[in-house]
Amino acid sequence: MALLDGRVAFITGAARGQGRHHAVRFAREGAHVIALDVCAPISEDVGYPAATPEDLEETARLVRAEGREIVTAIGDVRDQQALQDAVDAGVERFGRLDIVVANAGISTWNRFWEMPEEQWTTMIDINLNGVWRTLKAAVPAMIGGGRGGSIIVVSSAAGLKAAPGTANYTSAKHGLVGLTKTAAIELGEFGIRVNSIHPSAVDTPMGNDVNVGKLLARYPCYVDNYKWPLAGMDKCGVDDISDAVLYLASDASRTVTGAQLPLDLGLTTV
């Protein structure tokens, strides 16, 4: 039997990168998928190309190629109704919701006192408030199903360790730890586990943001903050992250809740 046979997962930021890989791996393990992505540019401060509707269509094709079904939605995690509509459409189609992967997010770079207010507030509204909205939309369906479930919040190494040049991102990702722990307490009585993962740089479009190199070239004193002890690996691979997400989504982690799982090549742990 596959790890997630018969279950349904809601994944945000699913058009490409980590979100797409989670969707495909879940499908391979027997889960149907509800996939949401904004599929559009968000901010001029973002230094990598935006996902497109065609990217989300490719995610759907890959999920179906694994023999599972998918409901897709184009929507912004800043829009509560868009999230609710996606969840409702998926639950209507599949009859249940068991897993949530709050993955959608952006990355921008600047020193905090030189950061326009919009750069700060956009980050917080997507990377922190957007996760809260995602859980708010999804949790009632999980509770109503009466089967428990698993929520995986995608934070960052920057959610455990300060990262210069990205105070907005670091603040949002630290905030997710508080949300994760509180949600784990509040949802425990319903058998719903809530955990956060904390990757360092991942080999995705966001992980290859050209603005990182530009900032570190301007402020080389920051470079040591982005060095990890595990030699021979430049970045985490998307499959590395999906391995951890699949573990947390499955019954293999049935005793784990409220935890922060570093996936950071040792950046925050040694």
Side-chain angles (χ1 to χ4, degrees):
M1 178 181 289
L3 286 174
L4 303 179
D5 265 346
R7 299 185 196 181
V8 175
F10 177 42
I11 304 172
T12 63
R16 64 178 187 190
Q18 293 183 52
R20 174 187 286 173
H21 275 72
H22 303 334
V24 173
R25 289 288 298 277
F26 281 13
R28 193 171 299 157
E29 291 295 339
H32 299 301
V33 175
I34 308 164
L36 177 137
D37 201 290
V38 68
C39 296
I42 292 295
S43 167
E44 293 181 357
D45 296 311
V46 171
Y48 49 92
T52 66
E54 291 74 23
D55 290 325
L56 187 57
E57 290 172 7
E58 177 63 7
T59 296
R61 186 191 70 79
L62 291 169
V63 166
R64 293 186 178 113
E66 297 292 341
R68 298 289 92 185
E69 289 302 316
I70 184 170
V71 169
T72 61
I74 294 177
D76 193 323
V77 294
R78 293 172 292 182
D79 182 346
Q80 187 70 61
Q81 192 60 54
L83 286 160
Q84 195 63 62
D85 288 347
V87 169
D88 291 348
V91 172
E92 182 178 1
R93 171 74 179 278
F94 300 125
R96 60 190 289 169
L97 179 60
D98 307 280
I99 301 160
V100 175
V101 184
N103 169 75
I106 63 169
S107 175
T108 66
W109 297 78
N110 208 341
R111 298 194 297 186
F112 76 88
W113 68 94
E114 297 171 336
M115 194 177 285
E117 184 172 355
E118 183 180 4
Q119 187 177 4
W120 175 274
T121 57
T122 298
M123 176 68 68
I124 299 300
D125 205 18
I126 293 172
N127 285 24
L128 178 56
N129 299 344
V131 173
W132 170 75
R133 292 188 192 98
T134 299
L135 272 55
K136 179 177 173 64
V139 160
M142 297 178 76
I143 292 173
R147 290 176 291 268
S150 177
I151 295 171
I152 300 100
V153 171
V154 180
S155 181
S156 167
L160 300 174
K161 179 181 183 293
T166 180
N168 53 353
Y169 184 85
T170 296
S171 297
K173 295 298 188 178
H174 269 68
L176 292 180
V177 173
L179 176 58
T180 295
K181 291 183 175 183
T182 304
I185 295 169
E186 294 180 355
L187 294 175
E189 66 174 293
F190 304 106
I192 298 171
R193 299 180 295 104
V194 189
N195 297 285
S196 58
I197 63 167
H198 298 263
S200 55
V202 183
D203 190 13
T204 64
M206 190 171 90
N208 292 299
D209 186 345
V210 296
N211 286 341
V212 181
K214 292 177 181 178
L215 181 129
L216 294 179
R218 287 200 302 271
Y219 311 112
C221 60
Y222 294 165
V223 170
D224 285 345
N225 291 273
Y226 295 96
K227 291 181 178 178
W228 43 78
L230 191 58
M233 295 184 69
D234 179 44
K235 289 182 173 70
C236 299
V238 285
D239 282 329
D240 298 321
I241 312 306
S242 288
D243 286 343
V245 171
L246 181 60
Y247 163 71
L248 290 173
S250 76
D251 292 340
S253 61
R254 67 188 183 90
T255 64
V256 182
T257 195
Q260 284 63 64
L261 180 58
L263 306 169
D264 60 6
L265 308 174
L267 180 65
T268 67
T269 53
V270 297

